[in-house]
C-alpha cells in the first residue's frame, strides 16, 4: 500500500495547517534516540512533527523493521490513536524532535472542527491501519495447525475487528514449532496466541484475546451514558453515528465484532449510493470509524447478559461482571444464524461449516467443491463470490429462487458455469471425519430421493432467529417468534421504536416487523435517535420545572 497510496498515507502538512493544529495540542520535545511510542502503550493520540525526524517501525518478535520516517510536516498515528487504544508500532526519535501532541479526545475535535484537514488526516489513519493489516504488523501471532477450526475462529475474530495479526503453522514454520516446544504446549492447548506485550494465551476465547490486545477497556461504573447501544451491526452503528454526531454520550457493546451479518457479506449491491457495490466489511468499517470520529466509545468484544436498572438509571450487566449505566438503551442485537438440523453438524462447525463468506473462508475453497444452503440475497451474494474461488458450488434451496432472491442475483448465478442449483431440496446428512467434511447428502423434498455431492466446505444461509435470550428477565413484550415489539404494537402509547419499557428502544433485525435489509436497519438507527431526543426531553422536563420553581422561590 505504501507503494500505491503512499502520498495519502503519509501526507506532508503545510506550515499553515500545522499552525491551525496548535490549538488542539501541546508542544513536546524528544531527544535523539528516545522511544516516543512503543507497541502496547495507550493514549498517545496524534503527534504532528514540527522539526526533527522520527522512525516508525514494526516489532516482529523482537526484530525492528522500519516502516516510514516522518520529517517536519508529517504526523504519527493510525486508527488506534483515534480512541486511545494500544499502539501497534514503535516510534523512535532519530534526531532531536519537537511535536504537537494531540490527545485522542482533541484529535476527534480536529476531525470535526477542521473538515478539509480532518478528512486528509482521517484518510491517512484508515490507510495506515489497512497497511498494517496487510503485513500483520503490531498484532498478535496465532500459532496452530492449518485448517484448525479454532485458528479460523480467532483469525476471523481479528479480521472482523480490523486488527492486524499473523498466523503460523508449526508444521511448516520453524519459529512456530520452537514456540510450542519452548512453552511446552500440548496438542489440546493449540492454537496459542502470542500477544504484543509478550503474554501467551492457550486456545483463548475471543473475549480473552480482545482484552489481551487492548480492544476492550474497563467501563467506568459511575458514568451514566445518554445512550447504550447493544449490538454493532448496521442498525447499532447507525444509531451510534447519529447519537454521537448530535452530542449524546454513547457506548456500543457487542460480543464479537462490528458489522453483524452485513459485515460478513462479500458484496452489497443494492445499498443506495454504491452503484458498483461494496463489501459488507468495507461499509461497516466506515461506519465503525465514523462513530469513533464522533466520540462514541466502543466496547468490543463485551457480552451483555441482562438488562435492568441500577438506582435511577437503566443498566446492562456484562459477562465480565461490569455494569453499564444509561439514560436510554438501544437493542440492536439482530439475529443469530440457524443451524442445520442434521446429525454431527457441531463436529464440522468452524473447520468445514461456515455462516458467512469472507476472504478467510474463500481461501479454504480454492480449487475445492463446496455446497451452500439458502435462497435469500445473502446466499446469492455468497454464491457469486465463492464461485470465483471454488472449483464447483452446489446451491441447495428449499424453494424456487425466484420466490426469495432478487432477480439480478438469479441472473448472475445462471451465468456461472461452475454453479449447480438444486431447488426443492434440503441437506439430509453429512459425510466426513476428523472435523473435515467430504460430502453432503441431498434429499428431494417432494419425492424423498437422495443424491450425493462432494463438498469440502459447507456454507449455511438458512435464516436466523432473534438474538434475545439475554433479555429473558427484562420484561419486554415480544411476538410469537421472539422479536421485540415496539411503538404502536405495544399495549401502551410509545415513541417510534420504543419498547414497552420506557427508555428502551429496539432497532434492526431484532425488532418485530422490521425489513431485513441493511438500508432499513440504518433508517431504524436514525429514527431511534430522533425518538431518544424526544424521550430525554420528557425525562428532563420535570427537573427543569423543579429548577424554575426553586429559582422563583
Amino acid at each position: 500500500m505504501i507503494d500505491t497510496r503512499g502520498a495519502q498515507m503519509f501526507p506532508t502538512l503545510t506550515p499553515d495547517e500545522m499552525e491551525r493544529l496548535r490549538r488542539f495540542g501541546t508542544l513536546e520535545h524528544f531527544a535523539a534516540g528516545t522511544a516516543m511510542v512503543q507497541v502496547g502503550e495507550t493514549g498517545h493520540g496524534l503527534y504532528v512533527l514540527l522539526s526533527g525526524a522520527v522512525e516508525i517501525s514494526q516489532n516482529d518478535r523482537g526484530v525492528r523493521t522500519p516502516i516510514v520516517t516522518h520529517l517536519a510536516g508529517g504526523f504519527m498515528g493510525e486508527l488506534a490513536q483515534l480512541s486511545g487504544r494500544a499502539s501497534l508500532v514503535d516510534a523512535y526519535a532519530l534526531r532531536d524532535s519537537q511535536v504537537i501532541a494531540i490527545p485522542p479526545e482533541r484529535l476527534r475535535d480536529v476531525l470535526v472542527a477542521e473538515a478539509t484537514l480532518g478528512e486528509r488526516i482521517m484518510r491517512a489513519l484508515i490507510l495506515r491501519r489497512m497497511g498494517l493489516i496487510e503485513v500483520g504488523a503490531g498484532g498478535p501471532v496465532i500459532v496452530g495447525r492449518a485448517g484448525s477450526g479454532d485458528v479460523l475462529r480467532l483469525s476471523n475474530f481479528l479480521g472482523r475487528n480490523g486488527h492486524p495479526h499473523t498466523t503460523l503453522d508449526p508444521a511448516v514454520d520453524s519459529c512456530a514449532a520452537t514456540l510450542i516446544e519452548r512453552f511446552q504446549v500440548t496438542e489440546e492447548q493449540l492454537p496459542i496466541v502470542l500477544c504484543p506485550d509478550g503474554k501467551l494465551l492457550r486456545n483463548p476465547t475471543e473475549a480473552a484475546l480482545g482484552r489481551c490486545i487492548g480492544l476492550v477497556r474497563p467501563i467506568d461504573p459511575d458514568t451514566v451514558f445518554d445512550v447504550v447501544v447493544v449490538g454493532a451491526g448496521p442498525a447499532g452503528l447507525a444509531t451510534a453515528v447519529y447519537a454521537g454526531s448530535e452530542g449524546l454520550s454513547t457506548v456500543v457493546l457487542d460480543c464479537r465484532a462490528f458489522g453483524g451479518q452485513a459485515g460478513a457479506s462479500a458484496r452489497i449491491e443494492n445499498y443506495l449510493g454504491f452503484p458498483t457495490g461494496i463489501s459488507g466489511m468495507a461499509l461497516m468499517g466506515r461506519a465503525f470509524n465514523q462513530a469513533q470520529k464522533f466520540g462514541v466509545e466502543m466496547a468490543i468484544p463485551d457480552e451483555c447478559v441482562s438488562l435492568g436498572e441500577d438506582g435511577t438509571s437503566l443498566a446492562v450487566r456484562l459477562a465480565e461482571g461490569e455494569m453499564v449505566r444509561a439514560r436510554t438503551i438501544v437493542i440492536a442485537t439482530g439475529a443469530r444464524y440457524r443451524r442445520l438440523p442434521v446429525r454431527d453438524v457441531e463436529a464440522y462447525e468452524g473447520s468445514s461449516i461456515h455462516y458467512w463468506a469472507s476472504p478467510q473462508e474463500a481461501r479454504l475453497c480454492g480449487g475445492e467443491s463446496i455446497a451452500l444452503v439458502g435462497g435469500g440475497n445473502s446466499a446469492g451474494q455468497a454464491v457469486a463470490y465463492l464461485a470465483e474461488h471454488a472449483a464447483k458450488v452446489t446451491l441447495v434451496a428449499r424453494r424456487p429462487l425466484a420466490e426469495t432472491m432478487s432477480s439480478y442475483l438469479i441472473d448472475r448465478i445462471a451465468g456461472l458455469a461452475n454453479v449447480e442449483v438444486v431447488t426443492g431440496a434440503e441437506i439430509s446428512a453429512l459425510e466426513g471425519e476428523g472435523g473435515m467434511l467430504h460430502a453432503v447428502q441431498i434429499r428431494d423434498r417432494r419425492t424423498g430421493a437422495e443424491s450425493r455431492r462432494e463438498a469440502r466446505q459447507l456454507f449455511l444461509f438458512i435464516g436466523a432467529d432473534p438474538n434475545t435470550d439475554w433479555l429473558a428477565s427484562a420484561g419486554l413484550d415480544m411476538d410469537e417468534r421472539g422479536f421485540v415489539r415496539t411503538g404502536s404494537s405495544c399495549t401502551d402509547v410509545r415513541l417510534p421504536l420504543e419498547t414497552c419499557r420506557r427508555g428502551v428502544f429496539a432497532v434492526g433485525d431484532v425488532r418485530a416487523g422490521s425489513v431485513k435489509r441493511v438500508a432499513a436497519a440504518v433508517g431504524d438507527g436514525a429514527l431511534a435517535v430522533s425518538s431518544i431526543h424526544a424521550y430525554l426531553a420528557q425525562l428532563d422536563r420535570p427537573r427543569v420545572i423543579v429548577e424554575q420553581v426553586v429559582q422563583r422561590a
Side-chain angles (χ1 to χ4, degrees):
M1 286 195 66
I2 292 179
D3 294 336
T4 59
R5 305 188 69 174
Q8 291 179 310
M9 294 175 73
F10 306 108
T12 300
L13 303 180
T14 66
D16 175 66
E17 289 172 331
M18 288 189 288
E19 188 62 32
R20 280 153 50 194
L21 291 175
R22 282 180 181 268
R23 65 189 177 99
F24 296 98
T26 57
L27 292 181
E28 293 189 18
H29 299 265
F30 294 93
T34 301
M36 299 171 62
V37 177
Q38 291 188 296
V39 171
E41 293 180 349
T42 61
H44 285 287
L46 198 75
Y47 285 167
V48 181
L49 197 61
L50 297 176
S51 63
V54 177
E55 181 185 81
I56 306 299
S57 59
Q58 68 181 81
N59 191 328
D60 186 9
R61 285 165 282 173
V63 179
R64 280 174 52 191
T65 304
I67 298 175
V68 68
T69 298
H70 290 299
L71 301 176
F75 57 88
M76 300 159 43
E78 53 90 37
L79 281 178
Q81 281 63 63
L82 186 61
S83 55
R85 294 298 199 274
S87 175
L88 299 176
V89 296
D90 295 326
Y92 288 87
L94 298 180
R95 301 197 295 267
D96 289 353
S97 301
Q98 184 180 51
V99 303
I100 304 170
I102 303 176
E105 61 276 9
R106 295 295 283 158
L107 173 56
R108 296 192 290 269
D109 292 340
V110 170
L111 300 179
V112 174
E114 295 282 348
T116 303
L117 177 56
E119 180 183 351
R120 292 178 64 201
I121 293 174
M122 188 68 178
R123 180 181 293 112
L125 299 182
I126 292 172
L127 290 175
R128 291 175 187 182
R129 171 57 66 94
M130 292 171 63
L132 293 176
I133 292 174
E134 186 177 65
V135 297
V141 179
I142 302 172
V143 179
R145 310 293 179 191
S148 161
D150 285 318
V151 170
L152 189 62
R153 170 179 61 85
L154 296 174
S155 296
N156 253 317
F157 164 71
L158 294 169
R160 291 284 300 274
N161 279 291
H163 200 87
H165 63 284
T166 305
T167 302
L168 302 178
D169 183 356
V172 296
D173 189 288
S174 59
C175 290
T178 300
L179 276 174
I180 290 175
E181 182 179 353
R182 175 184 173 186
F183 291 103
Q184 299 179 336
V185 180
T186 65
E187 192 69 28
E188 295 75 24
Q189 294 173 326
L190 288 175
I192 57 173
V193 180
L194 186 63
C195 296
D197 63 359
K199 186 176 181 179
L200 184 76
L201 305 179
R202 300 170 190 257
N203 195 12
T205 63
E206 288 95 330
L209 176 54
R211 291 183 180 276
C212 185
I213 61 178
L215 282 181
V216 186
R217 297 178 297 194
I219 297 175
D220 183 359
D222 296 326
T223 298
V224 179
F225 293 92
D226 290 324
V227 186
V228 167
V229 182
V230 185
L237 289 178
T239 303
V241 168
Y242 288 114
S245 66
E246 295 179 19
L248 298 175
S249 60
T250 307
V251 62
V252 176
L253 308 166
D254 196 287
C255 66
R256 191 169 190 276
F258 67 83
Q261 295 184 46
S265 177
R267 182 163 295 274
I268 300 172
E269 295 187 73
N270 57 356
Y271 189 74
L272 186 68
F274 293 92
T276 60
I278 184 171
S279 74
M281 188 61 186
L283 182 63
M284 293 298 97
R286 294 179 184 190
F288 179 75
N289 295 331
Q290 191 175 15
Q292 291 187 93
K293 167 185 172 179
F294 290 120
V296 174
E297 175 71 17
M298 295 292 176
I300 305 174
D302 244 338
E303 183 179 2
C304 301
V305 294
S306 66
L307 184 155
E309 295 179 358
D310 183 32
T312 59
S313 303
L314 294 166
V316 174
R317 186 174 294 279
L318 306 181
E320 297 293 325
E322 292 178 292
M323 182 82 78
V324 187
R325 303 167 65 210
R327 303 176 75 196
T328 65
I329 292 174
V330 179
I331 301 168
T333 45
R336 58 178 178 272
Y337 302 102
R338 289 181 186 149
R339 305 174 83 182
L340 200 65
V342 299
R343 285 186 56 190
D344 300 329
V345 66
E346 299 89 349
Y348 300 102
E349 286 182 325
S351 57
S352 297
I353 292 181
H354 317 282
Y355 296 89
W356 52 76
S358 73
Q360 185 86 19
E361 287 75 32
R363 285 192 287 271
L364 300 175
C365 300
E368 300 281 4
S369 293
I370 68 171
L372 189 147
V373 183
N377 280 0
S378 294
Q381 291 161 352
V383 168
Y385 174 62
L386 295 172
E388 299 176 4
H389 304 270
K392 180 182 178 181
V393 180
T394 301
L395 172 59
V396 181
R398 294 163 67 95
R399 292 186 284 168
L401 296 184
E403 295 182 11
T404 56
M405 189 180 293
S406 295
S407 58
Y408 79 93
L409 287 170
I410 296 174
D411 293 341
R412 182 171 301 165
I413 291 171
L416 298 173
N418 63 335
V419 175
E420 177 190 9
V421 179
V422 183
T423 58
E426 59 190 6
I427 301 290
S428 58
L430 307 174
E431 297 180 17
E433 60 181 351
M436 304 305 295
L437 190 67
H438 295 161
V440 297
Q441 289 287 338
I442 301 175
R443 178 191 298 126
D444 187 294
R445 301 184 72 220
R446 185 177 60 85
T447 66
E450 299 269 351
S451 59
R452 182 181 183 275
R453 298 292 192 284
E454 182 179 337
R456 297 290 178 173
Q457 306 292 331
L458 175 62
F459 293 82
L460 302 179
F461 291 83
I462 54 178
D465 297 312
N467 193 9
T468 53
D469 290 349
W470 68 286
L471 296 170
S473 61
L476 302 183
D477 189 15
M478 302 184 189
D479 68 10
E480 64 282 357
R481 298 172 59 196
F483 292 92
V484 181
R485 287 195 172 99
T486 61
S488 60
S489 64
C490 294
T491 53
D492 297 323
V493 176
R494 288 290 182 266
L495 293 164
L497 304 183
E498 189 178 21
T499 69
C500 66
R501 188 165 187 168
R502 295 309 313 269
V504 178
F505 301 80
V507 296
D509 289 0
V510 76
R511 179 175 65 83
S514 65
V515 178
K516 305 302 188 282
R517 288 286 187 273
V518 174
V522 171
D524 272 10
L527 179 57
V529 174
S530 177
S531 292
I532 286 170
H533 279 301
Y535 171 77
L536 292 178
Q538 295 171 5
L539 200 65
D540 290 339
R541 191 171 297 127
R543 178 176 58 81
V544 172
I545 292 173
V546 169
E547 289 175 352
Q548 290 173 345
V549 170
V550 171
Q551 288 172 357
R552 292 193 189 102

